[in-house]
Amino acid sequence: MHVNINNVSGKEIAPGVIERVLLKPEQSKPGGLGVRHYVLSKGGEVVFNEPLTEFQHYIVQGCAKQNGHNGSLIHQDSAWFMPCNKRWEDSEAVKKHSLCHDGEGEVRILTVSYKLPRPAMRWAKSRVNNMYKVPQHHSSRVMVGYTQLFKEEEHAVMGALRMHGVDIQTNTTGLTLPDHRNPEEIMYFLRGRGTGVAEGVEHDVCAGSLLYTPEGDIHGIRKVDDTLQYVVIEFIEHDKMWAERAA
């Protein structure tokens, strides 16, 4: 599946908050994964209050504050994981949180959410990592720039039940990413132009493009016209994974 934010109508869901729905939970396989894009202007605050849902936010542009205008700053190129837990003994396992505009210009946010069959452990943790605070590597095989904002193990320790790693990858002109198969995955493009593959189908991609690939289907980057940089997030059933390892 491919969609670009420029082809999705925005809806003002609160003063200073424009929402674009890029992937609905019912469009994903096996279901439950949603992807939204928000633009916040002065005074805007987007509130997340969905039961049995874990969230992975990525600040594409600007500077926001967590949980109200007196909250902590979260800067561009930061990923914020928010688990779903029972810490507050809510029968529906709801943890309300928000992001609000701070500073000048627009704030752009990529929000990924996953509906869960149950809440995570009581002491599941929220955490923020910025792109420039973690090691950056390159693959010797294909020379793809690679920054892992959240390792798979970090998501597991934080109590994630579906989120399974957040990477920022960069393909310079002419350097592709061979077709391969992974867990369920999204690729959201931050800059550049090229040709991406999702479910074995080629799509022209540019800033604002989202590629979604179900588990085990073919995806990759077949052409890079201008340096491509994109966010990659994978999803697995952690309970199932641990059960398979124990078997």
Side-chain angles (χ1 to χ4, degrees):
M1 173 184 172
H2 168 259
V3 65
N4 189 285
I5 59 171
N6 295 321
N7 299 322
V8 178
S9 298
K11 179 181 179 181
E12 187 173 20
I13 61 171
V17 180
I18 302 297
E19 178 187 67
R20 288 177 171 83
V21 178
L22 305 183
L23 179 70
K24 298 178 181 179
E26 59 270 23
Q27 292 177 295
S28 63
K29 301 174 186 177
L33 170 63
V35 182
R36 289 165 281 181
H37 180 277
Y38 294 97
V39 177
L40 308 185
S41 54
K42 188 173 183 180
E45 181 176 15
V46 55
V47 178
F48 305 95
N49 194 22
E50 301 169 30
L52 286 174
T53 304
E54 64 185 19
F55 292 86
Q56 182 67 69
H57 304 290
Y58 182 79
I59 308 300
V60 176
Q61 174 184 305
C63 184
K65 283 189 174 179
Q66 299 170 287
N67 299 321
H69 293 277
N70 293 320
S72 299
L73 288 170
I74 177 170
H75 298 272
Q76 180 174 322
D77 298 319
S78 292
W80 179 22
F81 172 68
M82 178 61 67
C84 168
N85 61 32
K86 278 188 170 181
R87 185 172 178 181
W88 286 269
E89 300 299 340
D90 188 318
S91 60
E92 290 188 307
V94 175
K95 186 172 183 182
K96 179 180 176 180
H97 64 288
S98 69
L99 285 162
C100 61
H101 181 274
D102 189 76
E104 297 183 1
E106 294 180 335
V107 178
R108 293 177 176 265
I109 303 164
L110 179 72
T111 290
V112 179
S113 59
Y114 218 120
K115 296 288 185 181
L116 305 175
R118 64 170 181 84
M121 60 184 179
R122 178 179 176 87
W123 300 114
K125 294 183 178 181
S126 170
R127 185 174 295 172
V128 174
N129 275 345
N130 185 275
M131 180 175 175
Y132 299 104
K133 291 183 178 180
V134 297
Q136 300 185 42
H137 307 283
H138 285 76
S139 165
S140 60
R141 182 167 62 90
V142 292
M143 291 301 292
V144 174
Y146 178 80
T147 303
Q148 196 160 32
L149 288 176
F150 283 119
K151 297 179 181 179
E152 294 84 348
E153 297 85 355
E154 287 181 285
H155 266 140
V157 169
M158 288 187 289
L161 295 182
R162 291 292 183 270
M163 306 296 171
H164 190 61
V166 179
D167 300 339
I168 306 297
Q169 297 186 4
T170 306
N171 291 62
T172 55
T173 304
L175 295 176
T176 60
L177 184 66
D179 290 355
H180 59 288
R181 303 175 192 272
N182 270 352
E184 186 179 15
E185 179 181 291
I186 66 163
M187 302 167 73
Y188 180 80
F189 292 81
L190 303 170
R191 50 190 57 86
R193 303 186 69 87
T195 302
V197 179
E199 300 179 84
V201 179
E202 289 190 356
H203 302 277
D204 292 331
V205 296
C206 60
S209 287
L210 175 79
L211 291 181
Y212 167 72
T213 307
E215 180 179 353
D217 281 1
I218 292 175
H219 65 286
I221 303 293
R222 290 186 180 167
K223 185 181 179 184
V224 182
D225 297 324
D226 185 22
T227 298
L228 280 173
Q229 189 171 62
Y230 47 98
V231 184
V232 178
I233 306 177
E234 293 184 351
F235 315 91
I236 67 169
E237 296 182 47
H238 283 267
D239 288 350
K240 183 178 178 181
M241 179 189 73
W242 293 120
E244 288 176 350
R245 289 187 177 184

